[in-house]
Amino acid sequence: MASHTPVRRPVVGGNWKMNTDGRGAVALAAEIVDRCAQKCPQTDIAIFPPFCYLEQVGQVIQGSGIKLGAQDVYPGENGAFTGEISTSMLKDVGVSCVLVGHSERRHILNEPEELIHEKLIAVFEAGLQGVLCVGETADQRQYGQTETINRDQLVLGMAGIPQQQLEPLVIAYEPVWAIGTGKTATPDDAQAVHELLRSTLASAYDKEAAAKVPIQYGGSVNSENAAALFSQPDIDGGLVGGASLRSDSFSNIVDAAALSCRETSSESSFQTP
Ligand code: PGA
């Protein structure tokens, strides 16, 4: 089984999407703290509740080492942007990392590349961790466009962003056809795209910088398939949707990530504000 380079720690995110209610979010966060907090030294763990529960969940996970994440952000600072949330508002409630360009925002809400790029810049300027999500649709894979789509989404998202900004960057490769469908990319297929993304970063920046960027896999990750995916040399943990809504499956996935990278450094990937 291939082993990871010693510079990267695995990163596991729980993307709750538009799920839970206030009471359920607090209960789930408390269970995740119970089951996962002691695993933070081996794995960077973040949870991404709906905006309206960020503050409550933040209070529950405070001091646990688990990071509070937001599912989205708007690049403007403040002003007439009805319904939107800025980086400073997120920081105000304790958020330290933000998903940018999730496929549900790209495809259901038609978010264009330019806006995704602006969001990523705003996140970095605010000193937050940015998780840039990329991934091809089923049709794009079928028509042989997997490489082009993933490379383009990464290059357009990162365009003009200087090398110093690579440090708070996490990439999530999430094939759209695998999200919420129960279909998972095979470890080999996922590894091929992760390798492509890393070499794209190496061409845009340099090899050493690219080797430090955690690249998560997302798309129907669960307790059963996590270990095989995370054992691939360029897969550094996962971004988990459905299976993050139960603390037992989320905890098992965190265990699989920790095991896959046992001998990695103790440097944190997700940052606290
Ligand atoms: P899923 O979602 O694990 O339910 O497929 C992953 C994601 O969208 O981040």
Side-chain angles (χ1 to χ4, degrees):
M1 206 179 268
S3 71
H4 287 244
T5 60
V7 285
R8 294 191 304 271
R9 293 174 77 224
V11 181
V12 178
N15 176 9
W16 295 1
K17 309 191 181 186
M18 200 172 71
N19 291 300
T20 68
D21 55 19
R23 201 185 292 200
V26 164
L28 178 58
E31 283 178 32
I32 289 175
V33 170
D34 275 352
R35 290 180 190 261
C36 299
Q38 73 276 19
K39 301 168 191 170
C40 290
Q42 293 84 40
T43 308
D44 282 346
I45 305 170
I47 51 179
F48 299 83
F51 283 135
C52 52
Y53 307 132
L54 279 171
E55 197 159 11
Q56 284 161 275
V57 168
Q59 282 163 8
V60 176
I61 65 175
Q62 198 171 22
S64 68
I66 296 168
K67 312 298 191 302
L68 186 63
Q71 298 175 18
D72 190 32
V73 69
Y74 189 74
E77 192 34 52
N78 44 36
F81 302 106
T82 302
E84 297 297 332
I85 308 269
S86 70
T87 53
S88 53
M89 291 169 181
L90 294 179
K91 283 169 79 168
D92 205 23
V93 293
V95 163
S96 59
C97 44
V98 183
L99 301 183
V100 176
H102 189 278
S103 78
E104 283 144 19
R105 299 210 60 87
R106 288 179 189 266
H107 297 288
I108 301 174
L109 295 154
N110 296 322
E111 242 177 49
E113 290 292 351
E114 183 55 27
L115 181 58
I116 291 166
H117 175 57
E118 285 171 18
K119 289 183 179 192
L120 199 57
I121 291 176
V123 165
F124 289 151
E125 278 176 357
L128 295 166
Q129 179 97 49
V131 183
L132 175 62
C133 305
V134 300
E136 80 286 355
T137 63
D139 282 352
Q140 289 163 341
R141 176 162 280 265
Q142 193 187 336
Y143 292 113
Q145 297 167 346
T146 298
E147 293 195 359
T148 320
I149 293 294
N150 283 286
R151 194 187 295 115
D152 286 358
Q153 288 182 353
L154 176 58
V155 168
L156 293 171
M158 291 297 291
I161 293 180
Q163 182 152 331
Q164 309 86 274
Q165 302 279 26
L166 282 191
E167 209 178 307
L169 172 70
V170 173
I171 295 170
Y173 167 55
E174 300 202 296
V176 180
W177 49 270
I179 295 180
T181 58
K183 290 184 204 155
T184 317
T186 65
D188 285 346
D189 283 348
Q191 166 59 24
V193 177
H194 282 237
E195 206 175 328
L196 168 91
L197 293 169
R198 200 174 302 288
S199 70
T200 303
L201 281 178
S203 311
Y205 299 93
D206 67 46
K207 216 172 159 192
E208 205 185 326
K212 291 185 183 157
V213 176
I215 307 180
Q216 305 174 285
Y217 169 81
S220 298
V221 174
N222 59 36
S223 305
E224 282 74 48
N225 59 29
L229 286 159
F230 300 168
S231 66
Q232 294 296 314
D234 287 291
I235 301 184
D236 310 307
L239 183 56
V240 187
S244 74
L245 293 170
R246 286 189 43 173
S247 63
D248 52 355
S249 48
F250 187 65
S251 170
N252 290 340
I253 293 166
V254 171
D255 285 342
L259 267 178
S260 73
C261 300
R262 240 181 266 154
E263 79 277 18
T264 55
S265 83
S266 61
E267 217 174 293
S268 178
S269 294
F270 281 129
Q271 299 175 327
T272 40

